[in-house]
Amino acid sequence: MDHHQFDNDDFALTRRDFLQRTGLGFGTMGLAGLLGGDASAASGVSPMAPRAPHFPGKAKRVIHIFFNGGLSHLDSFDPKPILDKYHGKSLPTENLRTERPTGGAFRSPFEFKQYGESGMPISELFEKTAAHADDLCVIRSMHADVPNHEPSLLLMNTGEARLIRPSFGSWVTYGLGTENQSLPGFISMCPDGYPIQESQNWQSGFLPGVHQGTYINTRNTEVEKLIENIKNQYTSRKDQRKQLDLLEQLNLKYQKARANDAQMDARIHSFELAYRMQMEATDAFDISKESKETRERYGTAVQSKQLLIARRLLERGVRFIQCWHGHGQPWDAHDDLEDNHRKLAGQCDSGIAALLQDLKDRDMLKDTLVLLVGEFGRTPTVELPQAGANSGKINGRDHNHYGFTAVLAGGGVKGGHIHGATDEFGFQAVEDRVHVHDLHATMLHLLGFNHEEFTYRYAGRDFRLTDVHGNVVHEILA
Amino acid sequence: MGLFDMRKGAVLPVIVAAAAFSFLPAYSEDIEPETVEFFETSIRPLLAETCYECHGSKKQENELRLDSLAAINQGGLSGSPVNRDNLAASLMIEHVEYRSEIKMPPDMRLDDHEIDAIRRWVLMGTPWPGEEAPSEPGEAPVDIAETIRQARDTHWAFQPVTKPEIPSASPIDALILEALNTNGLKPAARADKRTLIRRLSYDLTGLPPTHEEVQAYKNDISPDAFEDLVDRLLASPHYGERWARHWLDVARYADTKGYVFQEDALYPYSYTYRDYVVRSFNEDLPFNQFIIEQIAADRLELGEDKRPLAALGFLTLGRRFLNVLNDITDDRIDVVTRGMMGLTVSCARCHDHKFDPIPSADYYSLFGVFRSSRVPSEYPLIEEPDVDDPEYQEFIRILGERKDKLEAYEVKIHRELLLETQQKTLQYFKGAYDGITMDDEVSFKKLAKERELRPQILTPWRTYLSEKIANPDALFTPLAWFHALPENSFTLMSHRVTTRILEAGTETPINRRIQNAFKNEPPASMDEVVQIYVNVFNEIDSAWKAQLATAAQIAVQQPEAELSLPDSLADPAAESIRQAIFASGSPSNIAAGDVFRISDTPEQGQVRTYRRAIARHEGSHEGRPDRAMGFVDADALYEPYIYLRGKQSNRGDTVPRQFLQVLSDGPPKPFENGSGRLELAQAIASDNNPLTARVFVNRVWMRLMGSPLVGTPSDFGLRSDGPTHPELLDYLAATFMEDGWSVKKLTKRILMSSTYQQSSMGNADFEDLDIENKFLWRQNRKRLNFEAMRDSLLFASGKLDPTIGGKPQSLSGKNPTMRRTIYGTVIRQNMAGFIKTFDFASPDLHSPRRAETVVPQQALYLMNSPFSLKQARALSESLECVEGSDTSVKIDQLYQRILQRKPDSIEKQNITRFLTETPFDKGPPQPDPSEWQYGYGYYNIETEQVESFTAFTKYKKKRWQTHDEYPSKELGHITINSSGGHPGLDVQHAAIHRWVAPRDGTIEIKGRLRHSNENGDGVLGYVVSSRSGLLGDYAAFNGFDDTAIENVAVSKGDTIDFVVSPDTNNGYDSYSWIPKVLMDQPEGTEGESVRLSWDSRADFAGPLPAAPDPLTPWEQVAQVLLMTNEFMYVD
């Protein structure tokens, strides 16, 4: 029995043949093919190769600017002048139960103005972002399940408050791959360390590990510290090129007898990608290549700096980006809300405005979905002092999952649009309520997915980002 | 079938499931034709059009379906929409009429005639032609017992394992061949000997053979050569390491708890479970025993050797889910049922399993088993510590110190509290009484805070008082009576209560002292009542103290007399009060153990800190003796009930702790032995369990053949793929059990088959017929997994430390372990990126098989990580050839070390050309030395210049300092760290953080000098340029000063010094200062990469490591060979 003895000539590959076969042009493989099960390594298609979703989506990429700790909707995008009237007095309705006791009404210390043709009211905190009011789609009727950070962060990021589930970004790269193979497809940036719940926020859960978000500490000022193993300290680029050429010779020879092993082909190709990644990734994170004018437009705070990095990454085809404001829970203003929010908004308002402007200038806003939201909002009532919980200054707001605001822009959402409403005091979403699951369903829809059919079989179940919930909010689609 | 356990949300399985659950209602003859017509014309289309989008087959909003009568009767989260006891009050009518908060359909109200139709239909009792009206309202539409019976009778995986009769010397091959023949395929030839030994070595030990071993095997021409090799490798201690790691994927093993809020995240003895698994495979512990020990080792008679207790880590080493017990228990159910039996029981947490015959009742039966067990407060020792070992001695010493500290603190606080309760009885009594009427804890805590009462005393006092008011005794009856008075008529009725107290006879005995206290004016408020009580208490307390004092005086005056302390007061009424209020067990006499039970007190926080320090020490010191992460039965067993829809508050039926119904012969027998874990374990590990052996042999087959017989190795349920070779699966399972569940025998049986020993080479004809190699016409080529790859790098470099077992060691960082990868710490929350990149199993969830992906980050690790570069270097350096020896010999040696063969002439040519053709670089350009320097010196305020600067030479504990010891004897606390530092004793020894300009430009400086101590007199700060002198001076004392300077021109090499010197006092001078330097884009650098900002904290570093020597050409060749596909794949 020697039918398996290959005649080497039949399988001889020239280098050019080879690169054509395994080059970047894997082609866009349909999601159906991927979900059909024979994906990735077995077929030689990189798990990150670009793929088409269920139907053509308007959004091609996502950036989520995360107000971790919980931005107050009442001080940003959901004005409630009636709080001035009740300031310091009890609300006529009972306070909803949040994490900690709250007392009387607490008016917003910030001034609201109307912006754009839509006349959208936005507070002075985001006056620069407000210049783009007619591009913003403000959902004022968001709601989540509980008033605590940990479960709410997980809900916002993975659609499940407690158990291990893949994060939104990993679902998206799983479904769509990414457009630039020389950069990670899902990047989570946060200066100085992690938000709470740490890497769970960008976990891949039961999806293959490659879909986990790549964490980048943007506090590092040296580009090369940003990505693991991006730089070789022992060998020059030139020598490394020679090494890879030798590697390819040896691999191709070995491959002759093993043609049609797609995974080995893919692995040969991955070294070329890695070689390019060293340059491209370094370049993408290097904002010193931007003009001074641009850098000043974004601002000097780390949060603004990472928004500029994000823009460079989006331009290069990174699929999903998260920009966390800072480690821990910076927006969590139980005390000194005014100082806290003024300072933090000062660190990101110019960056958000510049990002939106740049995306528009590059005609990218139409297919880039921008999301601004934290894990929940804050109470219209003042938080009461409590040992160990705050410093008892009585000038902050508690967590509020009953009602909060998410702001979307680009990627197929209506601009200058306000959807839904909270009650007259801003405590609870009452009109056209949008649960976090609905937000996810809608964003998946914008990316071209039917969220009910976008599933992954694991442990005997077909899991979804939206579990058994979620309705697409058609009213906000452009 | 792909490498991933995933499939499209398919239509087919749903149909299969529906068939399994089919409920075929008899057509009801009772419905009249007019009703049928009404239903079919007015109701069915209306429901379909307006309701099914959200309440139909695709979607069940609120878990409600309206497309069958059964579904309507079953209802959703709000119960059934039809109230059969009162049809007019049905929610369905309310909702469509828009009468309640919920309005249906939500978008638009139905037309009036449609609403009328619905109302009429509901009032008719919702007749539904084609379905029988249910005999009992709300009855479940599916007869679960019937479903279970059907599945048990028909589904392949639930049938008993039967050993097929196969008249062949090699039944495995016979069965494989049969399927091949049927499909027009033929098996491949036997692989060559080098391939075989490499394959066997990796499959059994996860390590390659040495070149010498390959040669020896090649030269062994005896017919038993292969079998001898199998036996030798099965006996290798590395076999257990390789196979343990496979099981650790199943067991979702990790060394940490995942996200935690306050406690220590490390599991202190996780490694004892890992070592237990390694040992079990090495010793070929029968697999059924292996299962039993992992579920119930604590319930076995173990004898002297307690090491099997470590097996319980299987249950206890999961994520902690913020200590939510229901989730932890769910994780345990999942790992046991999927890992051991291939059943997805966790799906039944919220409702009966949608596809498999697992009712919620079964889930909660198992839930009851695990909830009736707990992690013991002290982990059991499983080895006798070696008392002479100095590491152990150190461990014990430090442990003792930390425990003493905790104890001293506890005693101190207890004393404080005792003193306080006696001094402030009145305030506590009052506070406790006022607290009784508060229904929320928040106001109660506020009260405690405002009155400066300590919750540790106040809370027990309140509990005591409310208990007494609810069940008054002789002492508290008056209080209870007054308490019962309405507030607004208190004064009015006080008189009557007082009279009643004074007149109370023997039928309601009232303490005489209390009675007497109410003889004056009737109290006007509850405050006065409380005051009266407290007065009495004070009198009694004084009397008691006086009596004690007298006794003490006597003791002093007559030392020779026998000491007699009083044990009671003479007056029985007084004595009973003393007993109730002051004696031990009374609220004023707080027990030591209760002091730290009350949450949110600073004392509790402090104790927690001490305890954490103890836990960290016990869990991390190298000298700690091994303990098991054990599990024991709880003192009180948990009686499980179904959580309807998974919510604990929705209480459903009570269920017994027992085994799964579908795997029981007849109704399961409730477990009788404690929690029932042992009975559960025995049921799982039983020869009669159709799943356990099948599931495990499938896992072994998958590892050895590269693909499983059942494509979903942890799901053998109704929706799983059936086995590609059912008889083979049964044959393996049956012989496995016959062999006493010996894993080694099972493994050897597979290895000895021709099927295993086939070549893995392709064949174009057969690829057309069976590209996936489902029928195994060849062996599958396997990629090294992360562990095998990393171990092989170490093996090739000669650096592998083959020690077996022990505490986990880091895989990342500056000094990654040289031990096998299985001994690396698995950090659940923050696993190093490269580990994930190589598809390591997620430790968060049971992992049936690993993904296999190819991404450039993997290549980057091999190309650039210091770890892989160091292995290439070590390998090249260790070559045995002498200096200047023939290139060809050296290439031979590299090939032998890395690929266990000699290179052919083409390979040699390629490498020789690489070595000779072009010159080599001197390594990558080295980064410029840091712009930051750290030192101390003298800033002269007269000249406004820094007149001396001495760089620090010592770097310890992340700070720069002058001497090895800190503080130093000579120069005190002078230091600089990442965010500040401490100046020296005088202005001559100011701390200086220096920035050196790397190029010309204009800079801006930011920062804040902060001093946070009310003692001393603060510090002085100066920013000084070498070019232009003082740029700014600052002072901070228990506060801060912003150090912002703009528009400073610098030339390359100029220094900017951030100087901090003591003011007149050099104590308490710790400061923080994180200067940042921003530079404008220098002229002519547009588009070019230059650094524009320096952040002293982000850039802070110890001594710069010397740049590594560039790889030599030979080292580069070694690295290339370590990156080849031939190294990474096993034919």
Side-chain angles (χ1 to χ4, degrees), chain A residues 191-427:
Chain A
D192 297 320
Y194 291 146
I196 57 164
Q197 281 292 6
E198 302 162 2
S199 56
Q200 290 302 107
N201 291 306
W202 47 87
Q203 64 179 311
S204 51
F206 43 70
L207 294 177
V210 292
H211 295 292
Q212 166 137 330
T214 297
Y215 166 72
I216 290 183
N217 181 350
T218 40
R219 173 66 68 185
N220 281 323
T221 48
E222 281 171 70
V223 173
E224 280 148 1
K225 282 189 187 160
L226 294 174
I227 296 187
E228 206 176 6
N229 299 320
I230 199 71
K231 184 171 183 218
N232 191 318
Q233 295 173 324
Y234 290 66
T235 313
S236 72
R237 240 349 113 69
K238 202 172 119 214
D239 280 4
Q240 198 175 53
R241 180 66 262 166
K242 280 170 58 190
Q243 276 187 300
L244 293 187
D245 289 342
L246 174 63
L247 175 66
E248 190 173 284
Q249 287 165 2
L250 301 177
N251 274 339
L252 287 181
K253 178 172 175 302
Y254 183 73
Q255 195 75 347
K256 275 188 188 172
R258 294 164 182 82
N260 287 346
D261 188 325
Q263 195 190 96
M264 288 210 294
D265 288 352
R267 187 166 181 273
I268 293 175
H269 184 63
S270 73
F271 281 91
E272 291 303 317
L273 288 175
Y275 182 74
R276 290 214 298 271
M277 199 180 225
Q278 297 178 108
M279 275 82 84
E280 286 197 33
T282 311
D283 182 66
F285 284 94
D286 188 356
I287 56 164
S288 72
K289 298 201 169 158
E290 295 285 341
S291 72
K292 187 177 175 193
E293 181 275 323
T294 302
R295 282 184 276 115
E296 280 174 357
R297 208 156 41 81
Y298 274 80
T300 50
V302 186
Q303 174 68 344
S304 286
K305 193 177 101 180
Q306 69 183 9
L307 287 167
L308 179 52
I309 295 174
R311 192 260 284 155
R312 291 175 67 84
L313 295 171
L314 290 169
E315 282 177 293
R316 284 161 176 76
V318 173
R319 188 69 76 187
F320 199 104
I321 299 174
Q322 274 189 329
C323 292
W324 295 80
H325 196 101
H327 72 114
Q329 42 212 44
W331 288 91
D332 197 20
H334 291 283
D335 279 316
D336 295 329
L337 178 123
E338 181 175 356
D339 289 352
N340 167 286
H341 272 38
R342 203 180 285 287
K343 179 174 136 207
L344 298 185
Q347 291 166 351
C348 64
D349 183 33
S350 58
I352 295 169
L355 175 72
L356 291 171
Q357 186 62 49
D358 281 0
L359 291 176
K360 270 199 267 189
D361 291 349
R362 286 157 176 76
D363 200 24
M364 283 171 63
L365 188 60
K366 66 176 195 305
D367 54 10
T368 304
L369 185 54
V370 182
L371 168 66
L372 288 76
V373 74
E375 64 269 38
F376 42 49
R378 310 205 76 84
T379 54
T381 43
V382 75
E383 179 168 329
L384 293 177
Q386 205 195 359
N390 54 24
S391 35
K393 295 183 177 171
I394 323 190
N395 60 358
R397 305 184 190 274
D398 191 24
H399 311 157
N400 180 5
H401 65 287
Y402 299 104
F404 60 102
T405 295
V407 180
L408 293 163
V413 298
K414 273 185 198 160
H417 180 74
I418 295 173
H419 178 83
T422 47
D423 60 37
E424 59 174 331
F425 302 104
F427 224 134

Side-chain angles (χ1 to χ4, degrees), chain A residues 146-222:
Chain A
V146 287
N148 312 99
H149 294 290
E150 287 92 345
S152 298
L153 281 166
L154 287 190
L155 179 70
M156 184 58 77
N157 282 303
T158 72
E160 157 64 48
R162 295 165 300 135
L163 305 172
I164 303 299
R165 298 284 182 266
S167 57
F168 196 176
S170 59
W171 274 107
V172 172
T173 57
Y174 166 68
L176 289 177
T178 183
E179 285 169 349
N180 186 337
Q181 302 300 308
S182 305
L183 287 170
F186 172 19
I187 292 177
S188 216
M189 293 188 271
C190 182
D192 297 320
Y194 291 146
I196 57 164
Q197 281 292 6
E198 302 162 2
S199 56
Q200 290 302 107
N201 291 306
W202 47 87
Q203 64 179 311
S204 51
F206 43 70
L207 294 177
V210 292
H211 295 292
Q212 166 137 330
T214 297
Y215 166 72
I216 290 183
N217 181 350
T218 40
R219 173 66 68 185
N220 281 323
T221 48
E222 281 171 70

